[in-house]
Amino acid sequence: MKKIVLLFIVTLCSVYSFGQESSLEKFADMDGVKSVYISKAMLSLMPGLEVQGVDIGSTATKLDNIQILSTEKSDIREKMSKEVKTLVNKGKVEELMRVKEDDENVFIYMKDLGEKKSEFILFNDDKDELTVIIITGTLTLNDIQKIVND
Amino acid sequence: MEKDRMKQLLEKFYDGQTTEQEERVLKEFFQGNDVPDSMLKEKELFLQLTAHEVAVPSDLEERLSQKIDEWDRASRPRTFQLRWIRGIAASVIVLLTVGSLLTPWGGPTRKDTCATVEEAYAEAQKALIMFSSSVNKGLDQVEVAGEKTTKTMHHVDKQLKLLDKQLQQVKK
């Protein structure tokens, strides 16, 4: 009987932890959250356009998807901040950078997804809006930096 | 002579090895009047032992089987419950396992929110530029390259505004 209970608990825990994986995604469907999701299929349709000084074409091919969440509602902003903090505390994402400027707080996190894939999370908290940009793909931070710096 | 034989039989009786016939002989002997004085004590004991033969109650068997049935009934619900609990636990585990196997690990795949490629492109550009400029902002602050940063930022701001305009046009 003890064994059965133990097995039961272990199973529940593993299922629960799998359910926790992409915890930022749940905000996408909330009221008051503006959500944009661009899939790999959509990204592959994009022409290798090069806007003046901005090179996206070469980066776009390395992307799996882009997700943008933004909200002006203070209660959701708080929840999102908390969610990100727990992700950092649990060691699911690593903090790469933190920039504070005037009313703007910017955090950049990274999550290694294996097979050279990684997820970059930009957490931009300014006085009227919280924007979270999640980029997944085989790109590096250097690639992201180059987009406007070349 | 009879006395000796009776003593032998008595010994056999107490050892539990007498036959029914021998017991009857013993009983007749002790009930009779020619019991020697030396054996009076034994007579008393023997008669007491054999006098009241414990009668087997006629409903003994019935009562026994009733009792057994009762115990059986009392013990059955426990095993029944245990079996149920085990069954439920097992099926829940199976369901959870199957459920977790069927659910894709990365959660449900999301659908594109942009209807057109142009809109997606503009959004992607906006997001990437924002991301990139943030990274650069952070790195440039480390380098303390003031002039370069303002120049880049100015450019980026211009680009962002342009994109916002584009986006609005696309959405209309």
Side-chain angles (χ1 to χ4, degrees):
Chain A
M1 201 63 203
K2 261 188 198 164
K3 261 189 206 165
I4 293 173
V5 172
L6 204 72
L7 195 69
F8 189 70
I9 292 168
V10 168
T11 315
L12 266 185
C13 286
S14 61
V15 169
Y16 187 68
S17 63
F18 272 121
Q20 288 262 301
E21 276 300 322
S22 47
S23 43
L24 278 173
E25 294 220 333
K26 71 181 178 211
F27 291 101
D29 301 323
M30 276 189 183
D31 278 342
V33 176
K34 189 187 159 224
S35 159
V36 175
Y37 180 87
I38 303 160
S39 69
K40 196 179 176 73
M42 190 62 110
L43 286 166
S44 70
L45 289 175
M46 287 177 188
L49 250 171
E50 208 166 307
V51 193
Q52 185 200 0
V54 182
D55 177 24
I56 288 187
S58 60
T59 315
T61 54
K62 292 178 184 169
L63 294 174
D64 271 358
N65 61 63
I66 301 175
Q67 190 171 5
I68 308 152
L69 303 170
S70 57
T71 183
E72 293 172 8
K73 282 194 171 179
S74 54
D75 57 324
I76 300 175
R77 288 172 70 161
E78 234 167 77
K79 269 188 210 162
M80 275 180 154
S81 307
K82 244 186 221 167
E83 190 70 48
V84 170
K85 258 177 212 149
T86 48
L87 279 178
V88 175
N89 288 339
K90 276 187 192 164
K92 300 227 168 168
V93 296
E94 240 177 290
E95 190 176 285
L96 292 182
M97 210 179 269
R98 192 187 294 192
V99 184
K100 193 174 186 298
E101 207 180 55
D102 303 328
D103 298 325
E104 202 179 31
N105 259 314
V106 178
F107 300 88
I108 295 173
Y109 302 100
M110 191 193 130
K111 186 164 137 190
D112 194 4
L113 299 177
E115 291 171 35
K116 286 187 185 169
K117 280 189 185 180
S118 37
E119 191 175 287
F120 289 95
I121 303 167
L122 173 81
F123 194 83
N124 189 327
D125 196 2
D126 64 28
K127 59 181 194 298
D128 6 84
E129 201 180 32
L130 172 69
T131 311
V132 178
I133 300 174
I134 305 166
I135 297 175
T136 315
T138 51
L139 75 174
T140 62
L141 194 68
N142 202 15
D143 289 327
I144 298 176
Q145 192 203 346
K146 273 187 197 155
I147 296 171
V148 291
N149 212 23
D150 272 353
Chain B
M1 274 308 103
E2 184 148 77
K3 196 176 134 190
D4 282 345
R5 202 170 77 92
M6 286 307 142
K7 269 194 177 163
Q8 262 178 15
L9 272 182
L10 203 61
E11 223 165 277
K12 225 174 150 190
F13 174 77
Y14 285 128
D15 280 343
Q17 286 174 336
T18 45
T19 61
E20 253 177 76
Q21 211 184 347
E22 284 167 331
E23 273 169 43
R24 218 176 300 132
V25 173
L26 266 173
K27 207 170 175 181
E28 267 165 32
F29 167 73
F30 280 120
Q31 274 170 349
N33 293 322
D34 38 325
V35 180
D37 286 353
S38 62
M39 286 182 80
L40 275 179
K41 279 231 164 102
E42 266 142 44
K43 173 192 168 177
E44 209 178 314
L45 185 66
F46 182 84
L47 285 179
Q48 260 177 12
L49 278 175
T50 51
H52 334 272
E53 220 171 83
V54 184
V56 176
S58 58
D59 58 343
L60 179 73
E61 204 185 317
E62 202 185 318
R63 270 164 55 196
L64 270 177
S65 55
Q66 219 172 21
K67 197 74 194 167
I68 290 169
D69 280 352
E70 216 172 277
W71 289 333
D72 198 26
R73 237 175 287 132
S75 62
R76 200 179 297 156
R78 266 200 72 205
T79 55
F80 191 62
Q81 265 179 6
L82 205 70
R83 205 178 296 163
W84 262 97
I85 291 168
R86 270 187 204 161
I88 291 168
S91 40
V92 168
I93 287 169
V94 167
L95 277 179
L96 285 177
T97 317
V98 170
S100 58
L101 281 176
L102 289 179
T103 327
W105 297 131
T109 42
R110 299 196 60 80
K111 289 223 174 84
D112 277 296
T113 44
C114 303
T116 60
V117 183
E118 286 77 22
E119 193 187 338
Y121 189 72
E123 289 281 11
Q125 250 184 325
K126 203 180 144 195
L128 286 172
I129 288 170
M130 221 176 134
F131 210 129
S132 183
S133 63
S134 292
V135 173
N136 280 305
K137 227 189 269 174
L139 293 176
D140 286 349
Q141 271 179 5
V142 178
E143 286 166 13
V144 210
E147 207 185 334
K148 192 184 162 203
T149 315
T150 32
K151 217 173 156 189
T152 316
M153 283 312 122
H154 182 69
H155 184 68
V156 166
D157 276 344
K158 223 168 83 188
Q159 204 64 48
L160 275 175
K161 270 178 203 153
L162 209 111
L163 279 168
D164 269 337
K165 238 187 248 168
Q166 253 182 23
L167 246 177
Q168 265 155 13
Q169 272 175 357
V170 165
K171 275 185 181 165
K172 273 173 204 166

